[in-house]
Amino acid sequence: MNKYIKTILIISGALSIGLLMGYLLFGNNTSTKMIDEQLHSDTAMEAAGAEEIWTCSMHPQIRQNEPGECPICGMDLIPLAANSSNDPLVLEMTNEAVKLASIQTTVVGQSTGSTAKTLRLSGKIQADERLASSQVAHVPGRIEKLYVSFTGEEIRKGQKLADLYSPELITAQRELLEALKLQAVNPGLIEAARNKLRFWKISKETIDKIEREAQIQEIFPVYADESGIVMNRRVAVGDYLKQGEPLFSLMNLRSVWVLFDAYEEDISHISIGNNVSFSTPAIPNRTFQARVTFIDPVINPQTRVASVRVEVQNTKGVLKPEMLVYGTLENKTLATTNLTIPKSAVLWTGPRSVVYVKVPDRSVPSFQFREVEIGDALGENYQLISGVEAGEEIVTYGNFAIDAAAQLNNQASMMNKDVMLKGADHSEHLPDYTSVSPVAFKQQLAEVAGSYLLLKDAFVATNVALAGEQAAKLVALLGKVDMSLLDGDAHLYWMEQLSAMEAHTAQIQSSNEIEQQRTQFSFLSQALIKSLKVFGVPASTYYVQHCPMANDNEGADWLSREEQVQNPYFGDKMLTCGTVQETITKNFKNPAIEATSTPRMTGHNH
């Protein structure tokens, strides 16, 4: 570029000398005018040459005065077009950048008809507790023989279960026979003896047989009082039973419960009587229908869900306890909405929802940062309350790439703290538990971070097997963190982050695909970064680094002990692609922290 400017200066100097000589030779006003015009043109050419800037289509913070390669990702630099907008809300992109980010848009329009709330639920088959029973011994005695001897066996009402030897029954029979002999003297004795046998559930036919044959029966059969499946066998041959002691625990499965887990934010959309259709992988190609009969009034503090129960007839016994089921509940009683936006268009940060709107009638692709207020989820869409008007064009794919470019260009973005808009809050709200978190917990969290960094190094090396091994070690270490060191909201917040970290680390451990592992690593990183910010670190320094091209240009963060970037999402392909976003130290204070706010988990469930 310097040679180019030097050449322009030489040419312009030569032209100036030639024109000056013409003036001296011909000496007229026209020549003077030509000299002035030429000098003005030369100055414009120099300015134009000096102002030509080259930038990266994916990293607009890169500025060079000559062509070359991007020092972050290695892509060829392109000329920077003049920015026609000074609006910090509007990001202008080149056509090449739009193509590389595969940006797609859709026009927000009016939908017709009513819209129903559709919930996806998962759960398990459980036995109907009301159909449980115990088969007991109505008379004391010794088990001589068992006809039902193992758990899981199905029995029918009236079926013979065991033979019982009972000295008490023998005595009662003798009393009955003696009463018959004294019938003329005291007829009331006969009825008393009969009632004693009836109280022990001896049938009328058996009593009549004893009276008729005048023979004492030593072994008595035990018959099933109810039908069901033997869930627990409590006796063996030779056991002596007291009156009322159980032989078997029974469960009748002619009707079963399906218990679905419903998150607390969805409970308001579920009512008694709602229809639920569900299926189970154990019985493919079949869908069952049932209605909600009960909603648990208590939220489980560990999982933050409540049980929603439906009852299903199971006369053929195809549904068995503990089967996994997946259901769909559609509540058509919800208020209708006329305006919706696709879920993929919405970016989440704390309590805020953000979309990018394509600015119409621009010579270059331009996208405006816009906060929106959304309502209930309706299938693949959200209710739109405010923020976007019908007919506007919103980005539905590639919005993470736009947001990353805006952030790097110091413009309004989902996470940018440098550009604040009047009347709006663009920070990610996190609770502050640094003062109430004991040093022992922070040290355990630092050990987790140390194990995480070894996992990160495995991804830098693109080593699938090593990543799986380090993930297994991290899972074990997470299980050893003493959460009892935390109380109240801090305890609940850690449990939320711990659950996310354990789930994503386990996915890394079980996967054999490096890209799948890296996707789970990005989610793991989010949870660990939040934890370090919220609970604090004992002494170490951590750098939060970001690559806008990870996850198909959606962007991803990670932690590092070194300021130098080594990208775990691309490895050797783009090892230095990324920037340092934040530095977390012992005295770190997130400007977005709200110490008085109760943490809420919002946004997508990964």
Side-chain angles (χ1 to χ4, degrees), residues 472-533:
K473 295 178 181 179
L474 180 55
V475 168
L477 192 59
L478 285 168
K480 296 179 181 179
V481 176
D482 186 4
M483 66 179 70
S484 66
L485 295 171
L486 301 174
D487 297 322
D489 289 341
H491 180 87
L492 293 177
Y493 189 87
W494 168 247
M495 291 190 66
E496 291 177 350
Q497 302 309 316
L498 175 63
S499 177
M501 286 189 280
E502 288 181 331
H504 297 305
T505 308
Q507 290 291 328
I508 295 173
Q509 180 183 355
S510 62
S511 176
N512 294 321
E513 296 291 336
I514 188 67
E515 294 308 321
Q516 294 178 4
Q517 288 182 327
R518 282 169 166 162
T519 298
Q520 297 300 321
F521 178 73
S522 69
F523 300 142
L524 166 65
S525 299
Q526 293 176 25
L528 183 56
I529 291 170
K530 287 181 181 179
S531 298
L532 293 178
K533 290 180 179 179

Side-chain angles (χ1 to χ4, degrees), residues 400-401 404 522 526 546-557:
F400 279 98
S522 69
Q526 293 176 25
H546 177 83
C547 173
M549 300 180 68
N551 289 339
D552 293 330
N553 294 321
E554 293 184 357
D557 296 334

Side-chain angles (χ1 to χ4, degrees), residues 132-296:
S133 62
S134 291
Q135 177 64 49
V136 301
H138 300 293
V139 294
R142 184 178 67 244
I143 298 292
E144 295 295 316
K145 188 174 182 180
L146 277 175
Y147 298 97
V148 174
S149 57
F150 59 88
T151 302
E153 188 170 353
E154 183 177 4
I155 63 177
R156 301 291 180 183
K157 184 177 181 180
Q159 179 180 336
K160 189 176 182 180
L161 303 179
D163 285 336
L164 188 72
Y165 171 76
S166 174
E168 287 83 351
L169 268 177
I170 292 174
T171 301
Q173 293 177 79
R174 286 174 179 167
E175 291 175 356
L176 175 60
L177 295 178
E178 291 297 325
L180 287 173
K181 296 177 183 179
L182 300 174
Q183 182 175 9
V185 178
N186 191 352
L189 288 177
I190 297 178
E191 194 62 27
R194 289 171 179 167
N195 287 337
K196 187 174 183 179
L197 292 173
R198 292 179 187 137
F199 176 75
W200 281 336
K201 301 286 184 173
I202 304 301
S203 66
K204 182 179 182 302
E205 292 77 10
T206 302
I207 295 174
D208 291 343
K209 180 181 178 182
I210 294 171
E211 293 179 359
R212 184 173 61 253
E213 296 179 357
Q215 293 291 328
I216 294 177
Q217 186 174 333
E218 294 185 354
I219 303 297
F220 273 83
V222 178
Y223 297 101
D225 297 327
E226 297 290 342
S227 299
I229 304 295
V230 176
M231 307 301 292
N232 187 11
R233 193 193 75 174
R234 299 174 178 270
V235 295
V237 174
D239 288 350
Y240 190 90
L241 304 178
K242 297 179 181 179
Q243 183 178 356
E245 189 172 349
L247 286 76
F248 307 103
S249 296
L250 304 178
M251 179 61 69
N252 195 314
L253 299 179
R254 68 175 182 270
S255 175
V256 294
W257 289 347
V258 184
L259 299 183
F260 291 104
D261 292 331
Y263 290 102
E264 52 187 315
E265 61 266 25
D266 293 330
I267 293 176
S268 60
H269 304 303
I270 304 175
S271 303
I272 301 296
N274 283 156
N275 186 66
V276 179
S277 59
F278 67 91
S279 60
T280 173
I283 311 174
N285 303 321
R286 182 172 176 182
T287 301
F288 299 85
Q289 302 288 334
R291 294 191 177 276
V292 176
T293 58
F294 178 78
I295 301 173
D296 198 329

